[in-house]
Amino acid sequence: STQSTWGGLVALRGLYAHAGHSYGITGGKDALSELFKQCSGRMHTLRCAVQSLLGLPQLLVGYGDTPSCMSVDSFEGSHIDVITAGNFLFFDMQQLSKGVCCLSDIAVIVRCPVVSRNVLRRQVVIHGGAVHFSKDTATDPSSGEVYHGQVVVERDEGDGLVLIPGARLVALTQEHGVVRFALDESGSDGYFETLRLGDRISIIPAHSCLTVACFKEFRVLSDVSCEEQIGRTAV
């Protein structure tokens, strides 16, 4: 091998960076795009330094975080060889709240049955807890509210999702979660009043990466009446 080796056990093929701090960036697409440029430039500088120090040929540079990668229109001239941003496959409420994606881009929901309903508190308990959603959170950029998931309804014939205003998964135990419905349900057509025990609620998770890792298989909906079951390894 022309790559640097240590005891014949490890071959240096390249360098990798994940800008996890992009999830805390404010300022929208422009700020994230600038972050991508900074990180890709620094990785290129590091690659050149390592190649010079160790006398290596061209090393590969891998880079991945969904927010900053989604903020650029092209990777040409970025000095990045491999992109490993994984969240673009499903997206989630974290990405939506930061303006990284649109609601129509989100491609994952978790359907959970209602096991308890409290009219006075305008809350329902669902069979869907930390073992299903993880405990990751998203933050509403307007109100600052921290939550674990957003309730949606599925339009007929697979024509996208509709947010239920003020309906969020706000607390989790191991197997169960609490969904709170705001007093003002303008635009929700009285969704809370229609819920009964056993009904299934569709929820967009705060963070899809950890949520999908909790399940062994998915059901792919081409429309709301047609489902195809696939294993996680097929995704």
Side-chain angles (χ1 to χ4, degrees), residues 85-206:
N87 209 329
F88 72 91
L89 179 64
F90 291 121
F91 290 115
D92 51 36
M93 291 309 297
Q94 287 185 354
Q95 306 295 333
L96 182 63
S97 67
K98 294 183 178 300
V100 175
C101 67
C102 300
L103 179 62
S104 59
D105 295 323
I106 297 178
V108 61
I109 57 172
V110 182
R111 286 176 172 172
C112 302
V114 175
V115 297
S116 179
R117 184 171 179 266
N118 189 309
V119 176
L120 294 179
R121 295 180 180 176
R122 292 185 65 81
Q123 294 179 346
V124 299
V125 176
I126 59 172
H127 183 199
V131 296
H132 307 101
F133 288 92
S134 82
K135 283 200 170 183
D136 265 16
T137 60
T139 303
D140 187 313
S142 299
S143 66
E145 180 184 24
V146 177
Y147 58 97
H148 300 282
Q150 168 68 52
V151 177
V152 294
V153 293
E154 303 156 57
R155 291 173 176 166
D156 292 336
E157 299 180 355
D159 191 24
L161 304 172
V162 179
L163 296 179
I164 300 298
R168 287 171 171 166
L169 179 61
V170 294
L172 293 170
T173 59
Q174 179 172 323
E175 298 281 351
H176 297 89
V178 175
V179 177
R180 187 190 65 216
F181 292 81
L183 290 175
D184 179 13
E185 278 196 282
S186 57
S188 65
D189 297 325
Y191 182 73
F192 174 78
E193 281 70 25
T194 68
L195 289 176
R196 298 294 180 267
L197 298 186
D199 288 350
R200 290 189 177 186
I201 295 179
S202 296
I203 299 174
I204 298 174

Side-chain angles (χ1 to χ4, degrees), residues 25 33 37 45 59 62 74 94 117 146 155 158 160 181 191 205 217 221 229:
I25 294 291
S33 179
K37 292 176 183 177
T45 300
L59 294 173
S74 172
Q94 287 185 354
R117 184 171 179 266
V146 177
R155 291 173 176 166
F181 292 81
Y191 182 73
E217 59 192 23
L221 282 68
Q229 184 171 310

Side-chain angles (χ1 to χ4, degrees), residues 23-124:
Y23 286 85
I25 294 291
T26 58
K29 182 177 179 179
D30 291 342
L32 288 168
S33 179
E34 182 61 29
L35 174 66
F36 178 85
K37 292 176 183 177
Q38 291 177 3
C39 290
S40 61
R42 289 170 181 171
M43 289 303 294
H44 177 61
T45 300
L46 178 61
R47 168 167 54 188
C48 293
V50 172
Q51 289 174 172
S52 176
L53 179 64
L54 300 180
L56 298 175
Q58 184 81 353
L59 294 173
L60 296 175
V61 170
Y63 179 87
D65 74 278
T66 298
S68 69
C69 286
M70 289 297 297
S71 71
V72 296
D73 298 321
S74 172
F75 298 112
E76 186 176 354
S78 67
H79 309 294
I80 301 297
D81 303 300
V82 181
I83 295 293
T84 58
N87 209 329
F88 72 91
L89 179 64
F90 291 121
F91 290 115
D92 51 36
M93 291 309 297
Q94 287 185 354
Q95 306 295 333
L96 182 63
S97 67
K98 294 183 178 300
V100 175
C101 67
C102 300
L103 179 62
S104 59
D105 295 323
I106 297 178
V108 61
I109 57 172
V110 182
R111 286 176 172 172
C112 302
V114 175
V115 297
S116 179
R117 184 171 179 266
N118 189 309
V119 176
L120 294 179
R121 295 180 180 176
R122 292 185 65 81
Q123 294 179 346
V124 299

